Amino acid sequence: MSPNKASADKESQKKAVSKKKAAPKKKAAPKKTAVTKTSTAAKKLNATEAKERADKLLQGFGNFEPYKVTKGEEYMNDDQIGHFRELLLAWKHALMEEVDRTVQHMQDEAANFPDPNDRASQESDFTMELRARDRERKLIKKIEESIQTLDSEDYGHCESCGVEIGIRRLEARPTATLCIDCKTLDEIREKQKGG
């Protein structure tokens, strides 16, 4: 082999090597597993389910006949007490059903996803559900306290000033313990302390 030919072969080999180096290597696309697709679909389903649950909860509680006050009717008579007892018990029952559904949902959906993002999403969803249930647990406690005040015949009167809270306010918030004036003053004090 002549020296020119040998150097030409070396140069062509170097060019071939440099072309290989210059061409970027294709990275393997991350594998999309069925878990990822399922979890995305599950998130959409869970959001839809959550909305349906909230609507049912609101329908169960919010779908009541407002009490019709007759002229000259005594405040917190037996009919009114029965109306609010029924309202409070229906609300408590709806919240308890939601708690049961959440427990069942968390047991059914508990899976050890191999993808860290899916695991994080699931943990985040569970955390949000548990926070909501914790708020509902506190609300159930307030409902039980309201039922006790119904039994002791103190329901419907402001804890602070003793004035009647009012039928419409109690229908809007059956666990209300303060009249609207005392509650407004309480909120003003809270704002002044906090900010």
Side-chain angles (χ1 to χ4, degrees):
M1 214 191 266
S2 71
N4 285 343
K5 197 172 187 181
S7 66
D9 284 338
K10 285 184 182 178
E11 279 185 39
S12 66
Q13 286 176 349
K14 284 182 183 177
K15 285 181 183 178
V17 170
S18 66
K19 282 183 183 178
K20 285 182 184 176
K21 286 182 183 176
K25 290 184 179 179
K26 289 186 179 179
K27 291 184 180 179
K31 292 182 181 179
K32 290 187 178 182
T33 61
V35 173
T36 306
K37 290 178 183 176
T38 305
S39 65
T40 305
K43 285 179 193 174
K44 288 179 184 176
L45 181 64
N46 288 342
T48 306
E49 268 183 29
K51 187 173 188 291
E52 287 174 3
R53 284 183 189 175
D55 289 344
K56 278 185 181 180
L57 184 65
L58 290 174
Q59 285 174 356
F61 170 65
N63 195 13
F64 69 94
E65 284 285 323
Y67 186 81
K68 293 181 178 135
V69 181
T70 57
K71 196 170 189 175
E73 185 177 12
E74 183 183 336
Y75 184 69
M76 282 299 134
N77 60 30
D78 290 338
D79 290 340
Q80 291 175 1
I81 289 173
H83 171 74
F84 286 110
R85 183 179 309 280
E86 190 177 300
L87 192 62
L88 288 164
L89 290 173
W91 195 10
K92 180 181 174 183
H93 180 70
L95 290 171
M96 294 298 282
E97 282 182 358
E98 188 61 28
V99 167
D100 292 342
R101 273 195 293 268
T102 298
V103 169
Q104 187 65 37
H105 169 73
M106 289 181 79
Q107 288 172 345
D108 292 345
E109 293 294 317
N112 192 7
F113 293 112
D115 183 25
N117 292 327
D118 290 335
R119 268 196 311 261
S121 293
Q122 182 186 41
E123 287 176 21
S124 176
D125 291 345
F126 284 176
T127 301
M128 287 177 58
E129 279 192 51
L130 289 173
R131 277 188 196 157
R133 296 302 83 79
D134 188 48
R135 284 193 302 270
E136 288 173 359
R137 180 186 55 81
K138 291 175 185 174
L139 182 56
I140 289 170
K141 187 177 176 188
K142 278 187 170 184
I143 291 170
E144 289 171 348
E145 289 171 1
S146 295
I147 292 171
Q148 287 176 351
T149 58
L150 262 173
D151 294 339
S152 67
E153 298 180 6
D154 291 331
Y155 185 78
H157 295 88
C158 180
E159 287 181 347
S160 182
C161 67
V163 147
E164 295 175 357
I165 293 175
I167 300 293
R168 298 299 166 237
R169 174 161 164 70
L170 287 171
E171 283 182 334
R173 187 67 176 178
T175 57
T177 57
L178 299 173
C179 67
I180 194 69
D181 295 331
C182 291
K183 184 64 178 172
T184 304
L185 289 172
D186 195 39
E187 287 175 356
I188 291 169
R189 279 188 217 109
E190 221 174 274
K191 282 182 184 177
Q192 288 174 345
K193 285 181 184 177

